[in-house]
Amino acid sequence: MNPDNHVSRRIALGIGVAGVGALATGTVRGGEPIRQETPPGKNPANEVKLLPTRKLGRNGPMVPMLAMGGDMEATNAPGLINRAWASGMRYYDTAQKYGHENEEAIYRRWFAAHPERRKDIFLVSKDYPKKKGPEELLTMIDTRLEALGTDYIDLYFIHQLCPEVYGAESVNWGKSDVFRKVAETLKASGKVKMVGFSCHGGPEYIQAAADGGFLDALMVQYTPFYERGGAFDRALTACHEKGIGLIAMKTLRHAGNVPKRLPEFEKLGLTTHQALLQAVWSDPRISAICNSVRNFDQMKSSIASAHGYKAPLEVSLVNRLKDAVLASRRTMCPGCPSCDAKVASTGFAFRDVARYVTYFEQDNYGQSRDLYLALSESARDSSQADLKALHEACAFGINYPEIAARAERYFA
């Protein structure tokens, strides 16, 4: 029996109540077959065990289920990139701003030293078209290519699309004729194969992409504990039905204080963090997880989880994970939709501020202060925001008043 069809015991993550019957028949809404991950392959040159893959969107390639996330410490990045390659990772994610805007140069030197590797990897980069909007990507792409030392990028994102960075009108970019024409031009040039955005805004941004129907992929803040049938769930399904690939990000950031091992997952040979990754892969709409990597132990653990994924986690196990995460009460917004309505009502970038505080406290991340100070003065100003209301609205109980005070203490 296919374990994905055993819906009486397995969780139909991310497709809502109405989708359970569809999962049992091997389809999701819209009649599209569930994307089955391929078994791990081998590189014939050196017998490296490659990661299992899933199809990215309706027209995209098969991509590894796990991506090498960027924004690494500059001293560690070259070694981590090489270890990732040797460990079978073939999906690399970077951006203009990562590594104090130096990370792309590390990839440029890596490609120069190993030119044969470029064709074997899926490469993502991102940019900030803050001045002119999507049209600015048409000139920015040449800078990205030069910085990376490559002739093309497999997937090119507008980075961190949200009202705090691009203004309230940016919610409509995903369905605008301007962005459509930009995406078409970029792909026709051969400089880019796929176009999309990384979403730091609410589900309305994801829904706009579905309404537009022309983007190839999105990267979304994802927790497996979101409201089934809620706005985020519906937006993901709408994108999936339009053939837009979905990549999960920040899946572990809210789990820094979760116990590393719990008895329920010990029996399955999984750490708690490995189980969280598998809970995300249990959603058939998610093609890959972009996983931030700070050291080789983290990378090795995540790779093992990808190779070990066989079927969706049971509902009881996902609920156990949720209880453990709630009990840990991390400072970082986990990406659930409980406070989305508050985003438009305040200029204070509370999600970003909470993220930078988490980076600083959890990872001792040296760039946290720079990231905080790079925000506009108004985005750092919490005096006009109702932080108590944000705290009360948060399903995870994140204490935004305390976080804002800590950010001032740490960074200002």
Side-chain angles (χ1 to χ4, degrees):
M1 176 183 291
N2 183 343
D4 283 354
N5 292 342
H6 195 188
V7 295
S8 62
R9 297 183 64 247
R10 299 293 182 185
I11 184 164
L13 275 176
I15 59 175
V17 174
V20 172
L23 180 61
T25 62
T27 63
V28 293
R29 282 175 285 196
E32 184 182 350
I34 289 176
R35 297 168 186 151
Q36 301 292 339
E37 53 274 2
T38 59
K42 287 191 175 183
N43 184 327
N46 54 18
E47 294 298 306
V48 171
K49 187 177 182 182
L50 303 181
L51 272 69
T53 61
R54 288 180 173 179
K55 190 169 177 60
L56 182 60
R58 182 171 294 128
N59 300 315
M62 300 296 291
V63 297
M65 292 167 58
L66 183 69
M68 172 77 176
D71 215 4
M72 299 167 278
E73 295 287 356
T75 55
N76 295 335
L80 285 174
I81 292 170
N82 273 318
R83 294 293 290 272
W85 172 269
S87 301
M89 298 189 80
R90 297 295 183 267
Y91 178 168
Y92 295 84
D93 178 283
T94 187
Q96 173 270 335
K97 67 174 287 187
Y98 288 169
H100 285 296
E101 302 186 12
N102 293 320
E103 189 171 288
E104 288 176 320
I106 294 171
Y107 277 103
R108 183 177 69 244
R109 292 191 290 271
W110 191 63
F111 291 141
H114 308 283
E116 75 284 356
R117 294 181 179 178
R118 176 63 188 94
K119 62 180 173 50
D120 292 327
I121 72 169
F122 187 80
L123 180 65
V124 179
S125 195
K126 319 177 192 76
D127 223 326
Y128 282 101
K130 294 181 181 180
K131 296 179 181 179
K132 301 178 182 178
E135 286 181 301
E136 201 173 353
L137 296 178
L138 296 173
T139 54
M140 285 179 157
I141 183 58
D142 293 323
T143 304
R144 299 278 64 72
L145 294 176
E146 182 179 358
L148 285 162
T150 183
D151 295 330
Y152 69 97
I153 294 173
D154 293 281
L155 175 54
Y156 190 32
F157 280 141
I158 290 179
H159 200 175
Q160 202 175 343
L161 192 61
C162 65
E164 294 92 340
V165 176
Y166 298 97
E169 70 280 0
S170 64
V171 70
N172 294 314
W173 286 5
K175 57 182 178 182
S176 70
D177 287 337
V178 170
F179 198 5
R180 180 193 299 272
K181 292 176 182 176
V182 167
E184 291 172 350
T185 301
L186 285 169
K187 290 189 286 186
S189 73
K191 299 174 182 178
V192 170
K193 292 188 176 182
M194 304 178 78
V195 177
F197 61 81
S198 66
C199 183
H200 285 235
E204 62 273 16
Y205 280 81
I206 302 170
Q207 184 61 52
D211 294 341
F214 59 85
L215 293 175
D216 301 293
L218 307 182
M219 191 153 64
V220 300
Q221 299 181 91
Y222 187 100
T223 169
F225 315 130
Y226 60 82
E227 177 191 4
R228 302 300 184 262
F232 179 74
D233 185 14
R234 296 195 303 271
L236 289 189
T237 293
C239 282
H240 181 75
E241 290 180 346
K242 289 292 183 71
I244 299 172
L246 295 169
I247 301 155
M249 64 176 172
K250 306 192 185 305
T251 56
L252 297 178
R253 276 294 175 185
H254 57 288
N257 275 2
V258 176
K260 183 175 181 180
R261 300 188 182 279
L262 293 170
E264 297 89 338
F265 303 107
E266 281 280 292
K267 296 175 182 177
L268 301 176
L270 299 173
T271 67
T272 311
H273 286 180
Q274 288 174 327
L276 278 164
L277 293 175
Q278 294 206 1
V280 178
W281 287 316
S282 295
D283 186 338
R285 299 169 302 185
I286 299 297
S287 297
I289 296 173
C290 184
N291 198 32
S292 180
V293 174
R294 301 296 179 205
N295 56 64
F296 182 65
D297 286 341
Q298 290 178 351
M299 182 195 303
K300 186 166 60 174
S301 173
S302 297
I303 288 173
S305 184
H307 283 305
Y309 179 80
K310 304 302 179 186
L313 290 182
E314 296 181 4
V315 175
S316 61
L317 293 177
V318 176
N319 289 337
R320 178 69 182 96
L321 282 173
K322 182 177 181 180
D323 290 342
V325 170
L326 284 171
S328 72
R329 300 280 175 152
R330 286 306 299 158
T331 57
M332 182 171 169
C333 170
C336 81
S338 61
C339 58
D340 284 336
K342 299 291 183 182
V343 172
S345 67
T346 175
F348 177 54
F350 62 92
R351 285 170 165 160
D352 287 326
V353 171
R355 182 154 49 96
Y356 301 152
V357 169
T358 301
Y359 290 168
F360 182 78
E361 293 181 341
Q362 178 177 318
D363 300 328
N364 194 26
Y365 186 47
Q367 297 179 26
S368 301
R369 184 173 186 270
D370 296 330
L371 292 169
Y372 175 81
L373 294 177
L375 295 170
S376 67
E377 187 173 344
S378 61
R380 300 196 307 268
D381 181 10
S382 63
S383 63
Q384 304 301 313
D386 189 347
L387 298 182
K388 182 180 178 181
L390 285 172
H391 172 49
E392 292 173 348
C394 179
F396 284 77
I398 294 176
N399 191 336
Y400 286 109
E402 173 61 23
I403 290 168
R406 295 214 298 270
E408 287 282 335
R409 188 164 68 250
Y410 294 153
F411 308 135

